[in-house]
Amino acid sequence: MPEAPDHLAGLNPAQRAAAEYGTHGLPHELPDPLLIVAGAGTGKTNTLAHRVAHLAVCGADPRRILLLTFTRRAAEIMTRRAEQISGTSRVGWSGTFHAIANRLLRQHAASVRLDPSFTVLDRSDAADLLNLVRNELGLAKQATRFPKKDTCLAIYSHAVNAGHPVEKTLEHAFPAYASWAEELKRLFGAYVDAKQRRHLLDYDDLLLYWYHLMQEAAAAEGVRRRFDHVLVDEYQDTNALQAGILFGLKPDGRGLTVVGDDAQSIYSFRAATVRNILDFPTQFDPPAHVVTLEQNYRSTQPILDAANAVIALAPEGFAKRLFSTRPSEQRPIIVTAADDQAQVDYIVERVLEHREAGIDLRKQAVLMRTAHHSDLLEVELGRRNIPFVKYGGLKFLEAAHVKDLLCVLRWAENPRDAVAAFRVLQLLPGVGPGHARRLQDQLEAAGFDFSVLPTLEVPAPTKSEWPAFGALMTSLRQAAAWQGQVGIVRRWYEPHLHRLYDAAQVRAADLEQLEQLAALHATRESFLSDLTLDPPDGMGDEAGAPHLDEDYLILSTIHSAKGLEWDVVYVLNAVDGCIPSDMATGTPQEIEEERRLLYVAMTRARDFLYLLQPHRFYTRGRPDGDHHVHAPRTRFIPGVLSPLFERQARGGRQLGDSLDGTPVAGVDVQARLRAMWK
């Protein structure tokens, strides 16, 4: 009888060791904790999917496996692949930390004194509610500058996720607002109270409630009994709160697997900490087993040699040396340019050269430390009619017309949701902020019973629309069936869409797309929660011309590029002051994160890597004002690493030529005019 096919046959030895670790005693004995250190391009997703599959093959119940990822798409890919590998049923629990928290909290709401019908606020709605509270407290009327709503929310979120008091958060992450510590604590206290009165949770609350759920012995034990195995992707991007949740789920570490790369920990501004992955092995007794993946399937060896050398200079980290079976004679290229215009000219010329050589624009990417570093490049691409996409544009759910429709559904789901109510009421003609607040107060006095809406006094321009609106909200609130509700709201909203916005036809197509998405959900609550926790990309999210042209160049910040790859990568401004940013050199920890940022940029390249070093470039947003600066090559590529790189140079574009061909020296009049006022 022929042997059954080996479902792990496609793995290299290190990947196989990670997939098989501790599975010999299954299903009766759970494996000790495991850390998989997965270098860039080493097949992390494939390895994790095979481990999930192998656990199932060895007798683990897939329904008792929890897979935590940072995007829903990643969870879906891994679970689908694990199912194909093992031939067993899908993992019972998979998704983002926030999605799993939402699911668990609705089931265990009573344990944390939470109304199970709570509404989840997205970031923009949370900022709006915080701003409402900010105004009610009179903090927006301060004689000196008080932080705006988005900054307040960022401070709040950072403090919650890092587990730090406001004072420490301000000192380390928001020093410009350190004098507002007491006022911010008062604001955050009132913000929490406002959320609780209205049965609202923001993203941070989902993790906080889950964390505290795991601190209650009886409730925590109930949650733990659900899961034999917990697997976590991108562990280097977790924060202190998420780590606390994991240790609550698996206090002894048995059945816990985390995957990540300390060299790619670049999100401290979101309160992520590299300490989670660096300290993981020693947080259990016995210590966690460590498997390191080093075979890279993306880049050529010269690119890896350079990246290895850059990260090897870090004072701390897991030892690894990425290697590839893709040999090449082409080393990464450091390009010294006279100025930022010369840098742009060089990039555009190389982009077109590679395109002529058969590398599509979509297979080339220009990466930068900060989004505005590409301003001059974008102008030049436009001048030369080269289409491009810049990552990080407006998200689908941030579009005003989409938020309008979703707020109608959110208000129907939770009549106490003041943020949704405030927005929905102002969709009606004649209703401004003042009228909207008065109508909310009257509805609250009536116990949030939508049936009283027709009896409320409204402005004259609103009266013709008011009966239909009242009937809509009442029917949505009382409806037993969810299917078709988005269509009902869309048809009510479309006349208002044409009244409120330009390009109504294009916007209407987004709403039809939303209706199609709704059909995939069994309940209104699941639809709203899924969209809030893992929003899809929109049809108009891309900046540039991809809808008009089949090929386009990629522009992206390094942070947005993590996890992606291209045949050709250009890194703008590989100089001190940009990489590392002069705003991120205050502590050794900040400097090391900047080193990891350069490493991430370098390891996005498959075949060609260009590091641009302008001698003189324009920068904005500095404490001392916008101006041109001179900077040396990034400190992360010292002279000792020079043999790993090829060197090229590009001169600057002349402002004008004399009649005899001798360049005319330019006069920086702008600098002189600025100097008049110093």
Side-chain angles (χ1 to χ4, degrees), residues 66-339:
L66 169 61
L67 176 61
L68 290 165
T69 65
F70 275 78
T71 68
R72 181 168 62 180
R73 184 170 177 271
E76 289 174 346
I77 289 173
M78 279 190 245
T79 54
R80 190 163 53 247
R81 191 173 299 177
E83 181 183 9
Q84 293 169 346
I85 296 167
S86 65
T88 59
S89 57
R90 296 187 65 142
V91 172
W93 292 71
S94 66
T96 65
F97 273 88
H98 296 91
I100 297 298
N102 177 66
R103 185 176 170 185
L104 282 171
L105 290 174
R106 293 192 188 276
Q107 296 180 6
H108 296 269
S111 299
V112 286
R113 299 181 182 180
L114 187 64
D115 187 326
S117 64
F118 62 82
T119 297
V120 181
L121 297 172
D122 64 19
R123 290 291 184 194
S124 65
D125 288 330
D128 287 343
L129 179 59
L130 189 60
N131 195 48
L132 183 66
V133 176
R134 175 175 172 266
N135 282 279
E136 289 174 350
L137 295 177
L139 295 171
K141 300 177 181 178
Q142 298 286 347
T144 54
R145 184 171 63 97
F146 191 78
K148 292 185 176 181
K149 62 178 184 179
D150 290 326
T151 303
C152 289
L153 184 62
I155 295 169
Y156 172 84
S157 183
H158 199 287
V160 167
N161 287 283
H164 293 160
V166 169
E167 291 85 355
K168 184 175 180 180
T169 299
L170 292 172
E171 179 186 353
H172 292 283
F174 301 89
Y177 304 105
S179 62
W180 293 109
E182 291 304 316
E183 290 83 356
L184 285 167
K185 285 193 286 187
R186 184 158 60 95
L187 171 62
F188 297 158
Y191 171 59
V192 169
D193 184 62
K195 287 185 293 181
Q196 292 178 354
R197 289 199 317 270
R198 296 171 171 87
H199 302 165
L200 303 173
L201 270 65
D202 61 24
Y203 287 160
D204 304 314
D205 289 327
L206 290 170
L207 299 185
L208 270 174
Y209 274 90
W210 189 5
Y211 173 82
H212 286 290
L213 179 67
M214 302 310 299
Q215 308 310 306
E216 299 296 324
E221 186 58 33
V223 177
R224 290 185 196 118
R225 283 198 299 267
R226 290 176 177 268
F227 309 118
D228 295 329
H229 303 273
V230 178
L231 300 96
V232 187
D233 192 19
E234 303 287 5
Y235 192 62
Q236 79 280 346
D237 294 334
T238 56
N239 55 47
L241 190 56
Q242 290 165 323
I245 290 169
L246 289 178
F247 295 141
L249 284 168
K250 293 289 182 181
D252 61 0
R254 296 183 66 82
L256 178 60
T257 298
V258 302
V259 184
D261 182 9
D262 57 296
Q264 297 186 71
S265 178
I266 58 174
Y267 294 117
S268 66
F269 65 92
R270 298 178 186 169
T273 171
V274 70
R275 298 297 342 158
N276 281 354
I277 190 169
L278 290 176
D279 298 339
F280 184 83
T282 59
Q283 291 175 316
F284 303 98
D285 186 18
H289 183 69
V290 180
V291 176
T292 304
L293 308 184
E294 297 178 297
Q295 184 171 351
N296 178 285
Y297 295 91
R298 175 185 301 155
S299 306
T300 62
Q301 192 60 52
I303 291 174
L304 294 179
D305 288 341
N308 286 334
V310 167
I311 203 64
L313 296 176
E316 186 179 21
F318 294 104
K320 56 183 173 295
R321 184 184 181 281
L322 302 184
F323 65 93
S324 171
T325 57
R326 300 184 63 225
S328 174
E329 297 298 319
Q330 180 60 64
R331 292 174 293 170
I333 300 171
I334 295 177
V335 182
T336 55
D339 51 31

Side-chain angles (χ1 to χ4, degrees), residues 518-584:
L520 304 175
H521 292 77
T523 66
R524 183 169 61 201
E525 181 277 317
S526 69
F527 172 65
L528 293 171
S529 294
D530 283 356
L531 281 187
T532 302
L533 296 171
D534 194 10
D537 293 329
M539 300 187 311
D541 290 352
E542 297 171 325
H547 304 297
L548 306 177
D549 199 294
E550 63 181 9
D551 197 17
Y552 43 88
L553 181 67
I554 305 296
L555 309 185
S556 174
T557 63
I558 301 172
H559 286 99
S560 297
K562 186 172 172 292
L564 304 175
E565 61 182 61
W566 296 274
D567 290 358
V568 188
V569 169
Y570 311 84
V571 182
L572 286 174
N573 296 340
V575 297
D576 266 27
C578 291
I579 308 176
S581 166
D582 56 4
M583 305 293 289

Side-chain angles (χ1 to χ4, degrees), residues 487-499:
I488 293 170
V489 178
R490 180 176 63 80
R491 288 188 289 274
W492 169 84
Y493 175 68
E494 278 186 347
H496 302 286
L497 174 68
H498 287 267
R499 176 175 56 84

Side-chain angles (χ1 to χ4, degrees), residues 303-615:
I303 291 174
L304 294 179
D305 288 341
N308 286 334
V310 167
I311 203 64
L313 296 176
E316 186 179 21
F318 294 104
K320 56 183 173 295
R321 184 184 181 281
L322 302 184
F323 65 93
S324 171
T325 57
R326 300 184 63 225
S328 174
E329 297 298 319
Q330 180 60 64
R331 292 174 293 170
I333 300 171
I334 295 177
V335 182
T336 55
D339 51 31
D340 41 6
Q341 182 62 61
Q343 172 179 240
V344 164
D345 290 342
Y346 180 92
I347 289 174
V348 172
E349 290 170 10
R350 290 294 174 275
V351 164
L352 294 176
E353 285 179 8
H354 284 300
R355 180 177 178 270
E356 289 300 314
I359 302 177
D360 292 343
L361 296 178
R362 286 176 295 179
K363 296 179 180 179
Q364 304 184 57
V366 182
L367 307 184
M368 71 271 332
R369 174 63 178 81
T370 304
H372 70 77
H373 287 175
S374 66
D375 288 352
L376 191 61
L377 175 61
E378 292 174 43
V379 172
E380 187 66 19
L381 292 171
R383 192 182 71 81
R384 301 202 191 193
N385 199 31
I386 299 173
F388 66 92
V389 171
K390 189 169 183 179
Y391 283 8
L394 184 69
K395 302 300 182 186
F396 182 54
L397 297 191
E398 294 170 358
H401 57 291
V402 176
K403 286 188 71 70
D404 288 347
L405 190 147
L406 290 176
C407 278
V408 175
L409 295 170
R410 281 180 42 202
W411 195 24
E413 184 71 16
N414 179 6
R416 297 174 181 268
D417 188 340
V419 176
F422 191 65
R423 185 183 190 105
V424 171
L425 288 167
Q426 291 182 82
L427 296 177
L428 297 163
V431 178
H435 282 114
R437 289 195 178 92
R438 284 193 290 274
L439 289 168
Q440 287 186 76
D441 292 341
Q442 294 175 58
L443 186 63
E444 182 174 0
F448 298 100
D449 182 0
F450 283 138
S451 66
V452 306
L453 284 175
T455 68
L456 303 182
E457 190 64 30
V458 296
T462 316
K463 288 184 177 179
S464 63
E465 301 281 350
W466 193 244
F469 175 71
L472 171 73
M473 297 308 303
T474 302
S475 66
L476 290 174
R477 181 63 181 167
Q478 297 175 352
W482 150 244
Q483 296 303 327
Q485 288 188 25
V486 174
I488 293 170
V489 178
R490 180 176 63 80
R491 288 188 289 274
W492 169 84
Y493 175 68
E494 278 186 347
H496 302 286
L497 174 68
H498 287 267
R499 176 175 56 84
L500 293 168
Y501 303 111
D502 295 327
Q505 215 53 40
V506 175
R507 295 174 186 268
D510 283 341
L511 302 183
E512 291 174 2
Q513 182 184 18
L514 198 66
E515 190 172 356
Q516 293 173 7
L517 288 172
L520 304 175
H521 292 77
T523 66
R524 183 169 61 201
E525 181 277 317
S526 69
F527 172 65
L528 293 171
S529 294
D530 283 356
L531 281 187
T532 302
L533 296 171
D534 194 10
D537 293 329
M539 300 187 311
D541 290 352
E542 297 171 325
H547 304 297
L548 306 177
D549 199 294
E550 63 181 9
D551 197 17
Y552 43 88
L553 181 67
I554 305 296
L555 309 185
S556 174
T557 63
I558 301 172
H559 286 99
S560 297
K562 186 172 172 292
L564 304 175
E565 61 182 61
W566 296 274
D567 290 358
V568 188
V569 169
Y570 311 84
V571 182
L572 286 174
N573 296 340
V575 297
D576 266 27
C578 291
I579 308 176
S581 166
D582 56 4
M583 305 293 289
T585 55
T587 66
Q589 292 79 16
E590 289 177 327
I591 293 173
E592 289 311 309
E593 179 156 326
E594 293 290 302
R595 185 194 310 275
R596 297 193 293 269
L597 199 63
L598 177 61
Y599 174 82
V600 168
M602 295 175 68
T603 53
R604 300 311 94 195
R606 288 177 48 81
D607 301 303
F608 298 92
L609 173 63
Y610 299 87
L611 303 172
L612 283 295
Q613 179 195 342
H615 288 304

